Amino acid sequence: MVEGLVLLGVTFLHVFLCPYTKVEESFNLQAIHDLLFHGTDVTEFDHNTFPGVVPRTFIGSIGVAAMCALPCRAFVAWGLPRIACHYLARLALASLTVAALSYLARAVHMKFGRPVGIAFTLITALQFHVPFYASRTLPNTFALASASLAHAEWLAGRRPHRAILLLAFTVVVLRCDLLPWAGLVGLHMVASKLISLQPGLLVGVAAAAASLTLTVFVDSVFWGRWLWPEGEVLWFNTAENRSSEWGVMPLHWYWTSALPRALLGALPLAVLGVLLERRLRPHLACVALYIALYSFLPHKEVRFLLPVLPLFNIAAAAGAWRLWNNQKKSVMWRAGCCCAMALLTATLAATVLMTAVSRHNYPGGYALAELHRMEVSEAVLAQHAGRNLTVHIDVSAAMTGVSRFGEVGLPWVYSKAEGMSQEEFREQHFEYLLTPQQQVEGYHVLWRQNGYKGLRLHWQPRALLERLAKFWQSPVEILLEPRIFIQKRL
């Protein structure tokens, strides 16, 4: 219970430290906004103007919006800005994700003992990626919550039919690329005699059909045409093989880059856990095979592995507990326990640094908030005069934190039209620009919003000691540079 509250607190902390979102999260975030503020008036929804490369399901967004509807109405009635509902939506999603992970932790407790369940939750809380993404409106995050419930049933071996149902829903509605994973889990359950082949297939086909019916009927209403969103995503990524347009990584990238960054010190502990806890070997073998198969897709992202990362943490928890429990047996076990503590301490240090870096990755969101803060008096004068203050939001700003939750309404009017030249800026007579361009004819710089540039390690002994003497200064310095400029018309 306490460890679950710790994990919840960490995910909430990430929301407040990094409140804004990037382009990958924009569809579900804008959908939640539109559901809250436009209701059933689909013509006003953001996806009509910015549909994205492939359609996505509204089902996850509907769930979060339903949780936030009443509190959001209260916020609006109290005169709070829309950004308050943005925080509320992210906190609601974080709560759902942590609830699913806590359910998984209870299954770990039943299977491997309470200490391993506690260690799993605490190791997860020490890491960066799972707590950071737990509140972010990615399809991968919704899949993390749904898959964690399925993994709990799979590990416990109590209700395999429920695991199949949840995985079918996850694949058909949320993330089609988990299809190989669902197949591997199903094969393991059949091979380990948790379920017979024929009943398993019947449950899987029925669950997939029900999930397909749900997503087709719901999403066709919002998109205005008959479609299966994840089916189009599957076709885009496999048949057309167009995911490579967003970058190609080598075959080994998940093993040599993604997993070390996502798991940090838990990775060697997970290897140890597999070696020491034989009951985990089939489950982690399935994970390894899934990642090996998934590695053949050219475009790779750490977040694509998000649904299976908790399984590595379970193995890490088993390894850490075995070291702790046996430390009195010999010097070797005590040395291993000390190494585990050092790995988890290093994990926490890396998480702090990665969080500090992430705070500077959303200059567009901060720039829009700064514009509203700086030009309060100008907005009051414009409102009294009955005129609008028009803001053009460049692609770079829109991709790094700007969303409809950041808008404040009249007299502010916003444009996100793409591909506009400087001549078109002047023709449109925008009052303000949010742009990465420092010089725009007819405008002057009102504010420079910094963003992340890189890291500098102070390794010289004197500089290192000076920074360490001030406990709030890290030996690693975060370098910033202007990313978004607020331009005001002359």
Side-chain angles (χ1 to χ4, degrees):
M1 180 64 179
V2 175
E3 64 274 9
L5 292 176
V6 170
L7 180 57
L8 185 65
V10 171
T11 60
F12 279 18
L13 183 62
H14 279 290
V15 172
F16 291 105
L17 289 177
C18 303
Y20 299 109
T21 54
K22 280 195 173 182
V23 63
E24 297 90 351
E25 307 156 59
S26 62
F27 171 76
N28 282 301
L29 188 72
Q30 306 285 35
I32 293 168
H33 169 277
D34 295 340
L35 288 162
L36 289 173
F37 289 94
H38 299 303
T40 57
D41 188 2
V42 181
T43 59
E44 294 293 324
F45 279 36
D46 184 80
H47 73 283
N48 292 315
T49 307
F50 301 100
V53 179
V54 288
R56 289 292 184 185
T57 181
F58 277 82
I59 290 175
S61 302
I62 291 171
V64 174
M67 291 177 64
C68 301
L70 290 177
C72 187
R73 262 186 209 179
F75 287 176
V76 172
W78 295 336
L80 295 177
R82 293 187 185 187
I83 197 67
C85 295
H86 172 108
Y87 281 95
L88 180 66
R90 288 195 55 199
L91 293 174
L93 180 55
S95 301
L96 285 175
T97 308
V98 172
L101 290 171
S102 297
Y103 187 76
L104 177 57
R106 286 195 292 273
V108 173
H109 169 195
M110 293 178 59
K111 182 79 172 182
F112 305 105
R114 177 168 172 75
V116 179
I118 293 173
F120 160 70
T121 306
L122 293 180
I123 287 173
T124 303
L126 286 174
Q127 293 171 335
F128 172 77
H129 279 84
V130 173
F132 180 80
Y133 282 111
S135 64
R136 298 197 163 270
T137 51
L138 291 160
N140 314 83
T141 301
F142 290 105
L144 168 64
S146 179
S148 293
L149 297 176
H151 295 159
E153 305 296 353
W154 178 38
L155 280 172
R158 297 172 300 169
R159 294 182 286 262
H161 295 85
R162 186 177 295 182
I164 294 172
L165 190 154
L166 287 164
L167 285 174
F169 173 82
T170 304
V171 169
V172 174
V173 177
L174 301 175
R175 286 298 299 184
C176 62
D177 53 8
L178 286 171
L179 179 60
W181 174 243
L184 288 169
V185 173
L187 287 173
H188 173 266
M189 288 194 290
V190 171
S192 57
K193 298 182 180 179
L194 286 176
I195 192 171
S196 300
L197 179 60
Q198 187 173 357
L201 284 174
L202 289 174
V203 171
V205 170
S211 299
L212 182 62
T213 302
L214 174 67
T215 185
V216 167
F217 275 94
V218 170
D219 292 309
S220 296
V221 170
F222 286 98
W223 286 98
R225 61 183 177 90
W226 288 104
L227 84 165
W228 170 29
E230 284 304 299
E232 296 197 14
V233 173
L234 186 65
W235 183 264
F236 180 90
N237 287 335
T238 55
E240 296 183 350
N241 196 25
R242 290 183 56 192
S243 64
S244 58
E245 295 174 10
W246 280 261
V248 176
M249 289 75 171
L251 194 66
H252 58 79
W253 187 84
Y254 280 130
W255 302 103
T256 58
S257 180
L259 285 175
R261 282 186 288 131
L263 298 173
L264 301 170
L267 181 55
L269 289 176
V271 175
L272 180 65
V274 172
L275 293 175
L276 296 178
E277 178 54 78
R278 60 180 180 80
R279 290 175 294 176
L280 274 171
R281 291 172 193 169
H283 302 86
L284 269 295
C286 289
V287 178
L289 182 55
Y290 168 67
I291 295 175
L293 292 171
Y294 203 34
S295 295
F296 285 98
L297 289 178
H299 181 62
K300 300 174 177 67
E301 302 260 3
V302 175
R303 57 189 168 90
F304 293 168
L305 298 184
L306 198 59
V308 299
L309 288 182
L311 296 169
F312 286 99
N313 287 344
I314 294 170
W321 170 243
R322 189 68 68 91
L323 290 171
W324 180 267
N325 197 39
N326 294 322
Q327 61 178 314
K328 295 180 181 179
K329 290 184 176 180
S330 68
V331 174
M332 184 177 292
W333 284 105
R334 284 195 293 273
C337 188
C338 290
C339 289
M341 296 298 291
L343 285 170
L344 295 178
T345 302
T347 296
L348 177 59
T351 295
V352 171
L353 177 61
M354 293 165 83
T355 303
V357 167
S358 296
R359 295 190 67 190
H360 302 288
N361 278 334
Y362 306 92
Y366 287 109
L368 184 60
E370 186 64 28
L371 172 62
H372 294 146
R373 187 192 66 80
M374 294 175 66
E375 297 296 279
V376 170
S377 58
E378 187 74 18
V380 172
L381 291 173
Q383 195 161 20
H384 284 305
R387 65 183 182 89
N388 293 330
L389 295 178
T390 54
V391 184
H392 180 263
I393 298 166
D394 201 292
V395 173
S396 296
M399 292 177 65
T400 57
V402 172
S403 75
R404 286 191 169 187
F405 279 111
E407 299 176 0
V408 296
L410 293 175
W412 295 99
V413 176
Y414 309 88
S415 165
K416 288 194 254 182
E418 299 179 7
M420 296 183 69
S421 65
Q422 292 194 13
E423 291 74 17
E424 289 173 310
F425 285 146
R426 291 193 296 273
E427 291 173 5
Q428 294 290 334
H429 299 292
F430 292 115
E431 295 285 343
Y432 301 93
L433 310 177
L434 266 63
T435 174
Q437 301 178 51
Q438 185 172 1
Q439 294 182 341
V440 180
E441 187 178 347
Y443 293 83
H444 73 279
V445 175
L446 195 63
W447 178 262
R448 295 172 176 82
Q449 184 62 51
N450 289 332
Y452 176 69
K453 178 183 179 183
L455 297 174
R456 177 188 294 158
L457 174 63
H458 293 269
W459 57 271
Q460 297 89 347
R462 183 175 178 181
L464 182 60
L465 289 173
E466 286 178 355
R467 292 184 72 85
L468 290 177
K470 301 175 181 179
F471 66 89
W472 63 87
Q473 286 192 344
S474 166
V476 181
E477 181 183 359
I478 299 173
L479 304 178
L480 305 176
E481 65 180 2
R483 291 288 188 182
I484 300 296
F485 296 89
I486 301 177
Q487 305 271 7
K488 186 174 183 178
R489 188 154 57 91
L490 294 171

